[in-house]
Amino acid sequence: MLYSFNLLIICIIIYVFISLRANHVDAREKILPAGPAKTNVNQDIYKREAPLENEPPEAQGMPGRVNMHVFEDCCGGSLDQLRNNLLYPLFPNVRTTVSRLAVSPQWSNYGLRIFGYLHPSETEEFIFAVASDDNSEFWLSLDESPENIQLLAYVGETGNEWTAPGEFWKFASQISKPLLLVKEMKYFFEVVLKQNTGIDHLEIAWRLNHDNGTFSVITSEFLSLYEDESSLQMGDIEHIPQTKASYDRLLESIPSSPHPVGEKIREDPRDHIYKYKMLDESYLKDLFPECHYKPSYVFTKQIERYQGVYLVHFSSVYPNDYTRQTHDLNDEMCFYTQDPSFQADKGLAAYLTEVEDPDVQKIDTGEGPFWQRVYDVKPLNPASKQTTVVANSCRTAGNIVMSQDHAMHIVRAFLKALHSREETRGYSLLRVVNVVRREDKDVGSRYLVELELVGPHSQKVLVSRYVYAQAEDSSKQMFLCSPKAFNWNPSATVHVIVAVKNQARWIIQFIREMEKVYRATGDKNFNVIIIDYNSSDMDIEKRLKKAKLPSYKFKRMEGNFQRTGGLQAGIDLVEDEHSILFLCDLHLYYPVNIINSIRKHCIEGKMVYAPVVLRLDCDASPRVPNGLWEVAGYGLMGIYKSDMDRIGGMNTIEFTDTWGGEDWELLDRILGNGLEVERLHLRHFFHHFHSKRGMWVNNNPG
């Protein structure tokens, strides 16, 4: 009896030892091996008989398809250009599925994101390969989690690399190292493709790690969906995976760059001016004597139809805000040709003056190279010679830049007044943040002066004030006064109004932009108003309720989309006539200081604000913002509610269900009712490239 019991104990111990050993070996086999594994398995998975063509997915044990998201209107051939697209990866134009990892949509200027699960047929080492035109990447997770993906193979990085269909050996990067996969497990994968123009294709293939293995495209029997999107609206985005390969880059701040293109996205104090603590307003009371202010460019009668656009002048800024599009390849010379000293027959060479070198014998053969010739050059600053004519005719010019001498002349006069009073005598200038000048030729100029000061107790404050200076007489001292009733309200509520219909991905992006502004500034005095013409692709009100916004209003309208009617419906929802309306559009990327910028350039009863937006090129993004300034457009407008009511609101009679010209007509009435228009190019304010496919019908596209 005792012998039998001891024998049973020994058997149990041996069984446990064998089980633990087997589990240990199995666990080791799931680790990515350092090199090829020795195996005697000769069966190739690609020689197996494929499932019947009409066999239902359920019979195969898995759906047999994977998710594919299409991003149209995206130029260039590099994946960086796709990832910098505002809509990537959450807002595709199309959400569909494919049954194998080989596609050729025969289209141009698009990006693809394909993702789902891979189901290996056996526990083995696999090698993956990718071929495409243009750039592409294949990522695979070590398990079913999107968080664990690794880049295994890719074609190109710059957008200039491509392969022929099935050409897996053109670049070393196309073929992966061996990877151990385990049967009965599923693995999340992701493929991204960027196509520019020409033939388009993408193939992902695999083979066993055998000497005689052959690459074959991955087909349906080894695939399954990440998510069934067939019953989801385009506005439903919570299910879309964000991974190391594809995440929402624009939730991150735009990085500064040491490279030239970074000039347009470099940090500037004006970008974060909302963070500054304002100097106590009581310190500035009666700092300058009040003066009568009536510019000669303000009209007192209605102007002719569509003439207002020719009557608006641009203001100038200091310091240089680098809004000039220095890297535009199509329009770059227009900036120089506006210079009165430019000589068309000599081009830029006219700015060089050859200097004689006594040690070099000059032999003029008429052709170069002239290695030893030397030159002199005068400092060239075309920005200081800009005018409104230049800004209107050269859409790369950006803001007119005030000279340093002129700006500091105003700043010194401002500081002199500040130091003449006991309350502000202890404040000294830390830096000039912003000076904006609106010149009234031969009469005087209005200035917005914004200075960062440091107080007697080392506290930093901002002073932001409008002043006026009469036309300068060099024999007289600079005299500043406070233009009567021309002060901006730093606490005015701003209502951002947009009208929409069936543009789910752009509507969500607009809401996210407003959330971004609120998250950065904490400004509670702005309100989002969305007028929806019965959208069927998302529940906008539901999304607004979830949004992290200080406040919002929503109204549903019936019938065809009307931009003017929708904006007017939004205007009618605003009860406070002393608040500001900002009439805007979809497809915009907003700087985080947008609300602050609108407030300071809108003066009730005096001035409206029409910021110029940069229309991005097809292959551009907020991180690489190449494009042209939309100098002729006035559809983006900040105006006080009381002023909007006074001029009659939107023209909903002439512009019912068409648009194109309604912004110019509104501008005519603004000017005809004695209001100024502040016109500035606004940094980090972008209109994203998009086609009009799938948008509202416009019977007057001109």
Side-chain angles (χ1 to χ4, degrees), residues 279-290 417-418 421 423-424 463 465 482 487:
L279 181 65
D280 192 325
E281 184 63 24
S282 64
Y283 291 176
L284 301 174
K285 187 178 181 181
D286 302 326
L287 180 64
F288 301 101
E290 190 175 76
L418 203 66
R421 302 183 61 170
E423 299 92 336
T424 52
V463 57
R465 195 85 172 174
S482 179
N487 297 307

Side-chain angles (χ1 to χ4, degrees), residues 168-332:
F168 298 119
W169 301 271
K170 187 173 183 179
F171 305 102
S173 63
Q174 289 180 255
I175 300 177
S176 77
K177 294 180 179 180
L179 183 70
L180 180 65
L181 302 182
V182 178
K183 184 180 179 180
E184 306 301 338
M185 286 187 65
K186 64 178 181 179
Y187 298 85
F188 178 84
F189 76 89
E190 181 172 345
V191 186
V192 283
L193 167 73
K194 183 67 194 69
Q195 166 63 8
N196 192 10
T197 57
I199 183 175
D200 58 329
H201 69 91
L202 167 70
E203 302 88 48
I204 306 297
W206 60 351
R207 68 174 176 87
L208 294 177
N209 186 23
H210 298 164
D211 292 339
N212 60 347
T214 303
F215 282 117
S216 295
V217 167
I218 301 176
T219 51
S220 61
E221 60 266 38
F222 308 108
L223 302 172
S224 67
L225 292 171
Y226 176 79
E227 183 81 21
D228 183 357
E229 299 176 301
S230 60
S231 61
L232 299 177
Q233 293 181 309
M234 290 300 288
D236 298 329
I237 62 170
E238 290 77 10
H239 66 284
I240 299 177
Q242 295 198 53
T243 67
K244 284 184 287 187
S246 303
Y247 64 92
D248 194 1
R249 286 189 179 192
L250 292 179
L251 288 179
E252 302 174 346
S253 59
I254 297 178
S256 58
S257 169
H259 304 295
V261 73
E263 293 297 324
K264 293 176 284 188
I265 59 174
R266 65 186 295 175
E267 290 292 321
D268 186 289
R270 284 166 282 214
D271 298 339
H272 307 291
I273 202 167
Y274 58 86
K275 294 181 178 180
Y276 291 70
K277 181 181 178 181
M278 299 286 287
L279 181 65
D280 192 325
E281 184 63 24
S282 64
Y283 291 176
L284 301 174
K285 187 178 181 181
D286 302 326
L287 180 64
F288 301 101
E290 190 175 76
C291 53
H292 180 68
Y293 175 65
K294 189 174 183 180
S296 62
Y297 50 78
V298 170
F299 299 89
T300 57
K301 61 181 180 180
Q302 188 63 40
I303 60 178
E304 293 184 26
R305 181 79 158 188
Y306 294 158
Q307 291 304 300
V309 69
Y310 303 107
L311 301 174
V312 174
H313 289 257
F314 286 83
S315 295
S316 58
V317 302
Y318 177 85
N320 190 343
D321 60 356
Y322 297 97
T323 49
R324 176 185 167 194
Q325 295 301 289
T326 53
H327 285 71
D328 186 87
L329 299 177
N330 301 318
D331 234 359
E332 57 184 1

Side-chain angles (χ1 to χ4, degrees), residues 540-557:
I540 299 175
E541 190 170 18
K542 180 180 178 181
R543 180 63 179 83
L544 279 170
K545 288 178 180 178
K546 293 168 55 180
K548 292 180 174 59
L549 296 171
S551 63
Y552 73 87
K553 290 187 178 181
F554 174 79
K555 183 175 181 179
R556 185 175 287 105
M557 307 280 281

Side-chain angles (χ1 to χ4, degrees), residues 596-634:
N596 182 274
S597 180
I598 293 168
R599 284 197 189 104
K600 70 179 57 175
H601 296 301
C602 286
I603 310 296
E604 189 169 10
K606 299 288 185 178
M607 187 167 73
V608 305
Y609 181 41
V612 187
V613 65
L614 181 69
R615 185 175 290 273
L616 295 174
D617 292 337
C618 184
D619 59 349
S621 75
R623 291 171 180 263
V624 188
N626 294 317
L628 298 175
W629 290 103
E630 197 60 70
V631 293
Y634 285 82

Side-chain angles (χ1 to χ4, degrees), residues 119-138:
H119 300 258
S121 60
E122 55 194 274
T123 300
E124 254 284 25
E125 279 191 334
F126 292 80
I127 299 175
F128 295 87
V130 56
S132 64
D133 186 347
D134 294 306
N135 291 180
S136 63
E137 292 174 354
F138 174 69

